[in-house]
């Protein structure tokens, strides 16, 4: 049920400043800090495929996961999964899966370039990852969004619900509720998806807490 706050007139005294601040922060993160991430992601994936890293890692990933993977289709179909599996990449860095030291050294040279390309992607750096969750990614991921539609949808509900809830609780209690709800949703997500090679981002968990 969507409640439109028509019964609470917007005056200088009733302006939801914390809600507006949170909204502007989300917009800033998306349009400034995440700007260009799509292009950088494409560049990293193009290098991953063209350099031969995909061909090297696909059979090793099959060994890591304990399941057969059909190549070369797996290089394209599982490329995103392979590069986002943090535990797999830790094993590669340690040289555990390579047949010889020479193969490991060759991989290290290619991976150094690939890693540099991926570290330029703000979204990848601060994605809440259930294999490697941190306090900073749990916080920053609350203010990131996957695309413009994701951002707009969340911000509409933030304005509608935040306008009401901030007026009831007051600014600081409202802010604590927002942050606590978002961090609580992050903890629940990590507990549910722990070990999976995927990630989460967005303000949905915090906004759901306000709606509750």
């Amino acid at each position: 049920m969507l409640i439109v706050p028509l019964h609470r007139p917007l005056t200088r005294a009733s302006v939801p400043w914390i809600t507006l601040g949170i909204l502007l922060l989300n917009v800033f993160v998306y349009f400034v800090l995440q700007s260009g991430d799509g292009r950088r992601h494409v560049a990293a994936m193009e290098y991953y495929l063209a350099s031969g890293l995909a061909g090297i890692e696909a059979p090793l990933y099959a060994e890591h996961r304990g399941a057969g993977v059909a190549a070369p289709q797996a290089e394209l179909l599982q490329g995103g999964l392979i590069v986002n599996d943090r535990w797999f990449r830790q094993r590669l860095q340690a040289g555990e899966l390579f047949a010889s030291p020479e193969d490991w050294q060759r991989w290290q040279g290619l991976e150094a370039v690939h890693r540099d390309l991926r570290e330029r992607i703000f979204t990848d750096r601060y994605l809440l990852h259930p294999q490697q969750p941190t306090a900073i990614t749990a916080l920053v991921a609350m203010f990131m969004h996957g695309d413009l539609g994701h951002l707009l949808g969340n911000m509409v509900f933030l304005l509608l619900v935040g306008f009401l809830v901030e007026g009831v609780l007051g600014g600081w209690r409202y802010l604590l509720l927002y942050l606590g709800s978002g961090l609580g949703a992050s903890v629940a997500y990590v507990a549910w998806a722990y070990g999976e090679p995927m990630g989460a981002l967005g303000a949905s968990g915090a906004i759901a807490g306000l709606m509750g």
Side-chain angles (χ1 to χ4, degrees):
M1 178 178 175
L2 182 60
I3 303 173
V4 180
L6 296 178
H7 67 280
R8 186 165 179 253
L10 184 62
T11 65
R12 181 175 297 181
S14 66
V15 172
W17 294 112
I18 301 297
T19 297
L20 292 177
I22 293 171
L23 184 149
L24 290 174
L25 181 56
N26 277 274
V27 170
F28 172 80
V29 169
Y30 181 78
F31 284 104
V32 178
L33 300 183
Q34 292 184 262
S35 176
D37 275 1
R39 172 177 46 81
R40 287 186 283 267
H41 177 79
V42 169
M45 186 54 65
E46 286 178 347
Y47 174 83
Y48 180 75
L49 295 171
S51 66
L53 268 174
I56 294 172
E57 293 184 1
L60 300 178
Y61 193 65
E63 179 182 346
H64 170 74
R65 299 286 286 190
V69 177
Q73 291 86 353
E75 299 172 11
L76 297 174
L77 297 177
Q78 298 203 45
L81 181 65
I82 292 173
V83 298
N84 283 298
D85 193 321
R86 307 289 176 84
W87 292 352
F88 171 61
R89 308 209 73 75
Q90 286 178 346
R91 294 189 70 188
L92 292 177
Q93 291 287 354
E96 296 180 11
L97 299 171
F98 295 94
S100 68
E102 291 74 21
D103 290 343
W104 183 30
Q105 290 176 357
R106 176 170 176 260
W107 174 86
Q108 286 179 310
L110 297 172
E111 172 62 10
V113 178
H114 178 237
R115 185 169 59 251
D116 179 66
L117 289 171
R118 290 191 65 86
E119 286 177 350
R120 300 176 189 179
I121 306 173
F122 181 88
T123 305
D124 279 12
R125 292 205 311 272
Y126 292 102
L127 190 72
L128 178 61
H129 203 293
Q131 289 182 335
Q132 290 181 331
T134 66
I136 187 66
T137 57
L139 180 63
V140 176
M142 291 168 50
F143 300 95
M144 299 196 306
H145 289 84
D147 55 38
L148 185 58
H150 187 201
L151 174 69
L152 289 175
N154 273 340
M155 294 306 98
V156 167
F157 276 90
L158 174 62
L159 278 176
L160 291 173
V161 179
F163 183 66
L164 292 171
V165 178
E166 184 176 347
V168 173
L169 295 181
W172 291 112
R173 286 189 296 176
Y174 169 81
L175 180 60
L176 289 175
L177 174 63
Y178 183 91
L179 295 175
S181 297
L183 293 174
S186 296
V187 171
Y189 168 75
V190 170
W192 170 72
Y194 184 73
E196 293 298 319
M198 55 187 188
L201 75 174
S204 302
I207 296 170
L210 300 182
M211 295 174 71

